[in-house]
């Protein structure tokens, strides 16, 4: 395909599609202790809040063996320590729903329910688990996309609903990272913060095409207009890329919705992840910092330490 044809197709997709950033719900926070194998122990902290503007929370998250817990912003002190059975898997997800009324909340809920089930089903049927993870993740996300898209077509109240999704699957010495939309996964290693997922916004596509500059990207009017998300036909094959990364003791991972990353810069994210040794406290402080920076969206942070 020529450059001009690619550009016309790209603009055509964006012209017919946008995303509505709705939000809401209640705030929750938890801490999880998880042992995926003998090599690493994972400590996980989660904080989520409706924020100061949205009427309800359209973010959802998945931690093995524990559903999100309710609460208000003043009650961000819930703590949970438990063992995860191997059959429950070691998959962690953050999803940021989009759509009117409760549609976005429904889409993100479907993502965090369907993807773990589908990953578990595919890996349990595989003889070579490690080699099958990337395929299982792609197929699971594609299935979730099909279910979300199908419901949006037959239920008027869920019309045009969608959700972003980012996930991390820990297995032996590996972590598999994937994402669709503009939620993100970061890794802090030896003081260096690396974004492990790609934003699928129109502005990022324009940057990749060389049409805008890095300086223009953060405040570009298309920064929150997504061309790829769950609930779209373009996501029918699942994530474009599943990264297979080696885990090192001391690694710290952040999964978050753009209610955080759209308002808190990478330098500050790196500093807080480095300085705060309790993942639950780190998640709480990141949420508070985003609110201090006048985040207008729901905010969800999941911090995972490999120890």
């Amino acid at each position: 395909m020529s450059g001009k044809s690619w550009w016309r197709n790209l603009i055509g997709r964006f012209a017919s599609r946008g995303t509505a950033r709705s939000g809401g719900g209640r705030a929750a926070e938890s801490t999880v202790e998880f042992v995926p194998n003998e090599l690493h122990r994972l400590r996980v902290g989660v904080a989520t809040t409706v924020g100061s503007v949205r009427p309800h929370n359209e973010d959802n998250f998945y931690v093995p063996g524990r559903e999100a817990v309710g609460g208000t912003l003043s009650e961000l002190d819930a703590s949970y320590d438990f063992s995860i059975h191997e059959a429950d898997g070691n998959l962690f997800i953050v999803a940021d729903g989009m759509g009117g009324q409760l549609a976005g909340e429904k889409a993100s809920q479907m993502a965090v329910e369907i993807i773990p089930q589908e990953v578990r089903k595919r890996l349990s049927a595989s003889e070579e688990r490690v080699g099958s993870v990337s395929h299982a993740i792609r197929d699971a996300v594609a299935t979730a996309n099909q279910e979300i898209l199908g419901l949006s077509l037959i239920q008027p109240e869920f019309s045009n609903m969608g959700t972003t999704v980012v996930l991390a699957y820990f297995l032996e010495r590996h972590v598999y990272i994937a994402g669709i939309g503009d939620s993100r996964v970061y890794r802090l290693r030896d003081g260096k913060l690396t974004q492990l997922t790609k934003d699928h916004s129109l502005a990022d596509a324009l940057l990749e095409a060389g049409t805008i500059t890095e300086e223009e990207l953060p405040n570009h009017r298309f920064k929150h207009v997504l061309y790829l998300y769950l609930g779209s036909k373009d996501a029918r094959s699942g994530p474009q890329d599943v990264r297979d990364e080696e885990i090192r003791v001391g690694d710290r991972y952040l999964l978050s919705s753009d209610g955080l990353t759209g308002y808190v810069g990478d330098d500050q994210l790196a500093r807080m992840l480095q300085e705060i040794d309790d993942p639950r406290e780190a998640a709480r402080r990141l949420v508070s910092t985003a609110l201090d920076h006048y985040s207008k969206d729901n905010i969800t942070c999941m911090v995972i330490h490999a120890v």
Side-chain angles (χ1 to χ4, degrees):
M1 180 181 294
S2 69
K4 290 183 178 179
S5 296
W6 177 88
W7 179 249
R8 285 196 296 268
N9 289 342
L10 181 67
I11 295 300
R13 291 209 308 269
F14 297 137
S16 61
R17 183 182 304 121
T19 62
R21 306 297 305 175
S22 298
R26 308 177 69 189
E29 179 182 310
S30 61
T31 298
V32 179
E33 294 258 348
F34 175 51
V35 184
N37 53 61
E38 296 179 355
L39 299 174
H40 298 288
R41 182 165 58 92
L42 302 180
R43 301 184 62 228
V44 183
V46 183
T48 184
T49 180
V50 60
S52 57
V53 175
R54 303 299 189 185
H56 60 281
N57 197 339
E58 295 194 334
D59 287 359
N60 268 291
F61 65 86
Y62 174 81
V63 170
R66 169 64 67 177
E67 296 180 357
V69 293
T72 65
L73 187 58
S74 62
E75 296 171 343
L76 290 180
D77 55 4
S79 179
Y80 300 92
D81 298 297
F82 54 88
S83 297
I84 306 294
H85 298 295
E86 184 177 351
D88 291 330
N90 42 17
L91 176 66
F92 302 89
I93 303 174
V94 167
D96 179 358
M98 304 169 291
Q101 300 299 319
L102 299 178
E105 184 176 346
K106 179 64 175 179
S108 64
Q109 179 186 2
M110 290 177 69
V112 301
E113 290 177 350
I114 294 171
I115 293 173
Q117 294 172 1
E118 293 296 322
V119 169
R120 188 180 306 116
K121 179 172 67 176
R122 284 164 171 77
L123 291 181
S124 64
S126 173
E127 295 182 1
E128 179 51 53
R129 198 175 182 201
V130 172
S132 303
V133 172
S134 295
H135 294 296
I137 289 172
R138 287 192 183 93
D139 291 346
V141 175
T143 299
N145 181 72
Q146 182 179 355
E147 295 289 336
I148 293 168
L149 182 58
L151 185 60
S152 72
L153 293 175
I154 64 175
Q155 293 277 15
E157 64 268 33
F158 298 138
S159 177
N160 297 318
M161 72 175 175
T163 184
T164 71
V165 64
V166 287
L167 61 86
Y169 189 98
F170 292 84
L171 180 64
E172 297 181 3
R173 291 184 172 88
H174 300 264
V175 57
Y176 299 83
I177 304 292
I180 289 181
D182 59 355
S183 295
R184 295 178 180 177
V185 178
Y186 288 90
R187 180 189 63 208
L188 183 75
R189 173 179 288 174
D190 299 328
K192 179 182 179 181
L193 188 70
T194 302
Q195 183 176 334
L196 299 179
T197 53
K198 176 182 176 181
D199 289 358
H200 298 114
S201 76
L202 175 54
D204 286 276
L206 294 174
L207 175 65
E208 188 173 338
T211 305
I212 65 174
T213 66
E214 287 276 3
E215 291 72 22
E216 295 175 292
L217 179 65
N219 299 312
H220 197 277
R221 62 194 181 102
F222 293 146
K223 185 67 178 100
H224 299 293
V225 179
L226 303 183
Y227 66 87
L228 195 64
Y229 55 91
L230 292 194
S232 66
K233 294 180 180 179
D234 290 332
R236 59 184 174 272
S237 299
Q240 297 172 337
D241 180 46
V242 178
R243 295 182 63 143
D244 177 356
E245 299 282 338
E246 182 183 359
I247 306 169
R248 296 183 187 175
V249 172
D251 285 349
R252 298 183 176 185
Y253 298 87
L254 170 65
L255 285 66
S256 69
S257 61
D258 70 335
L260 171 72
T261 58
Y263 297 88
V264 182
D266 286 2
D267 290 345
Q268 193 164 11
L269 293 177
R271 183 170 63 254
M272 296 178 72
L273 289 172
Q274 180 73 34
E275 293 177 352
I276 303 173
D277 291 329
D278 176 16
R280 172 171 167 257
E281 179 63 20
R284 177 195 300 200
R285 292 270 299 277
L286 287 166
V287 166
S288 296
T289 300
L291 292 173
D292 289 343
H293 290 191
Y294 305 103
S295 175
K296 298 179 177 62
D297 207 343
N298 309 141
I299 310 164
T300 299
C301 301
M302 182 181 296
V303 178
I304 305 173
H305 290 184
V307 297

